[in-house]
Amino acid sequence: MICVPANYNEVLRVKYGNDYMTPRNVGGAHDYPFFKKEIKSSWNTTDDESYNDVKKHIEKISSDYYREFLNRSSKCYVDIEEDVLDRHPINRTQAALLETLYEVDRICKKHNINYYYVGETKEEIERIREFNSDSTDIHIAMFRDDYMNFQQFVQEDLDVWFDYRSIYTHPEHTDMRMYVITDAYGTQEGEYEARFHGCNDIVGIDIAPIDTVSNDDSVEELKSNIISKLVQSIPSMPTQPPYDIPTMALVSQWQDLLQMEINMQGNLQNALMKAADSVAMSDTNDSYKRVRISSDIAENNYRLYDKSEFKRRND
């Protein structure tokens, strides 16, 4: 217990308003004194990315997130008959994937963002007009501007039953693609299964960026090779500083080649994937007619598409 002068609550009302006891998401837990100093001290780091992660977490605690979490509904987006789900165990996984797709679609519709089925998902739909009975993945892609905007909107609008991962929001993430996944944090097994049609696994959708490609074949080949070499080097890179001299020398060579700063104070695998992503998005000329799904390069797929192949959003 901390003793305070009588009527100190009046001081708090003047400074913070009549609802001073109600947590608010105002960028600093009421902006109390020494907020930044305290969270840096508690995190024991000066790294800006780590500091921002902690700040977001503290602000999330003081926002409506947990009120919404406690009041969350177990109602599914999609009605599926129980006998259909019982026919094969994989049906429940696919139903949970469909719930995740509906959540992505909800945010995209709200913000007028277009997305497109790609890869095996597109092939399955074109072949049999439905997801393959053995499929446990859904692959979609967005043009770069929509992709970057979606990453901002998902942080604000994503329902509490879901979570997300990207190289720009999670330092441990090392895939150029973003993931939207089901989230079982803080839920009992029965609650999670009720929300996701009896599925007890974490499932998710990967979202890839679609980038404009230069009309000059030599420029495109050079950039593709750079992205490929960066991606190939990532698995062998350490993830925790301090890094040894050979590792730092190699990263410095990449910095000189790309004329780009690479963060050597955090996860190097994440930092190099950000560098590869920066190269991938560097052609922004709207007159260019070709595009690529940049994350495909990690799987040695260098296919280029005509921009006209991505004409309309998927319904």
Side-chain angles (χ1 to χ4, degrees):
M1 179 181 293
I2 300 175
C3 297
V4 298
N7 300 319
Y8 187 68
N9 58 319
E10 296 302 324
V11 175
L12 294 176
R13 283 194 178 92
V14 170
K15 188 169 180 61
Y16 300 112
N18 291 331
D19 60 344
Y20 69 92
M21 289 294 291
T22 303
R24 292 175 294 164
N25 185 9
V26 293
H30 288 317
D31 286 332
Y32 286 144
F34 313 117
F35 172 73
K36 292 182 178 180
K37 179 180 178 181
E38 286 301 318
I39 66 169
K40 277 196 173 183
S41 174
S42 65
W43 189 252
N44 193 28
T45 183
T46 58
D47 179 69
D48 286 340
E49 289 187 26
S50 299
Y51 161 72
N52 288 330
D53 286 342
V54 180
K55 182 178 179 182
K56 286 179 183 177
H57 175 65
I58 292 175
E59 291 176 353
K60 190 175 185 180
I61 292 174
S62 67
S63 72
D64 288 337
Y65 176 83
Y66 289 105
R67 177 182 60 78
E68 293 173 1
F69 177 80
L70 292 173
N71 294 328
R72 68 195 184 281
S73 168
S74 294
K75 180 175 175 56
C76 302
Y77 288 140
V78 187
D79 291 326
I80 303 176
E81 295 296 332
E82 195 66 24
D83 65 324
V84 174
L85 295 170
D86 284 337
R87 290 174 193 168
H88 196 289
I90 203 172
N91 290 3
R92 297 190 182 276
T93 300
Q94 292 176 325
L97 275 171
L98 194 57
E99 291 288 323
T100 311
L101 179 61
Y102 267 66
E103 175 64 9
V104 171
D105 185 74
R106 180 186 68 81
I107 296 174
C108 288
K109 286 178 177 176
K110 178 179 178 180
H111 297 286
N112 196 30
I113 289 175
N114 294 329
Y115 67 89
Y116 309 89
Y117 298 124
V118 295
E120 293 177 355
T121 302
K122 181 181 179 182
E123 293 171 3
E124 290 163 7
I125 293 173
E126 290 177 343
R127 185 173 66 251
I128 56 177
R129 306 306 301 172
E130 62 182 16
F131 295 124
N132 190 294
S133 59
D134 295 326
S135 175
T136 56
D137 298 295
I138 295 179
H139 312 288
I140 66 175
M142 302 171 180
F143 280 106
R144 176 62 70 166
D145 286 347
D146 278 345
Y147 177 76
M148 301 305 287
N149 287 334
F150 183 84
Q151 293 198 48
Q152 294 299 316
F153 294 133
V154 79
Q155 297 177 58
E156 305 165 5
D157 295 334
L158 195 66
D159 186 81
V160 293
W161 281 106
F162 302 90
D163 201 357
Y164 62 92
R165 296 287 185 275
S166 86
I167 55 175
Y168 298 104
T169 58
H170 294 77
E172 74 282 2
H173 193 74
T174 58
D175 193 324
M176 192 180 291
R177 298 170 297 181
M178 179 183 183
Y179 291 89
V180 175
I181 60 176
T182 56
D183 186 9
Y185 176 77
T187 66
Q188 297 181 359
E189 183 175 337
E191 292 179 315
Y192 181 84
E193 291 182 355
R195 176 62 182 83
F196 293 107
H197 302 281
C199 175
N200 55 18
D201 296 321
I202 302 296
V203 301
I205 292 175
D206 59 78
I207 307 172
I210 303 172
D211 288 306
T212 305
V213 171
S214 172
N215 292 334
D216 187 327
D217 288 339
S218 62
V219 172
E220 157 54 19
E221 183 178 1
L222 175 61
K223 290 192 173 183
S224 294
N225 286 335
I226 290 174
I227 294 170
S228 177
K229 295 298 183 184
L230 276 166
V231 171
Q232 289 173 14
S233 70
I234 286 173
S236 63
M237 281 290 170
T239 60
Q240 297 272 345
Y243 299 115
D244 58 30
I245 292 176
T247 298
M248 296 184 70
L250 178 60
V251 176
S252 294
Q253 289 176 6
W254 275 118
Q255 289 186 132
D256 293 340
L257 174 65
L258 301 174
Q259 293 296 293
M260 176 192 306
E261 185 174 350
I262 298 175
N263 179 19
M264 289 189 272
Q265 304 302 314
N267 183 338
L268 271 185
Q269 293 187 7
N270 174 270
L272 288 180
M273 185 57 78
K274 284 180 180 175
D277 200 45
S278 295
V279 174
M281 70 171 87
S282 60
D283 282 318
T284 58
N285 191 325
D286 289 337
S287 68
Y288 293 160
K289 302 300 183 183
R290 300 185 301 177
V291 296
R292 79 157 76 83
I293 299 172
S294 297
S295 58
D296 284 354
I297 293 178
E299 300 173 1
N300 294 317
N301 180 356
Y302 296 86
R303 179 181 174 182
L304 300 180
Y305 302 83
D306 190 282
K307 191 182 295 186
S308 64
E309 293 186 48
F310 302 94
K311 291 181 178 178
R312 55 186 289 273
R313 76 184 298 280
N314 295 285
D315 295 318

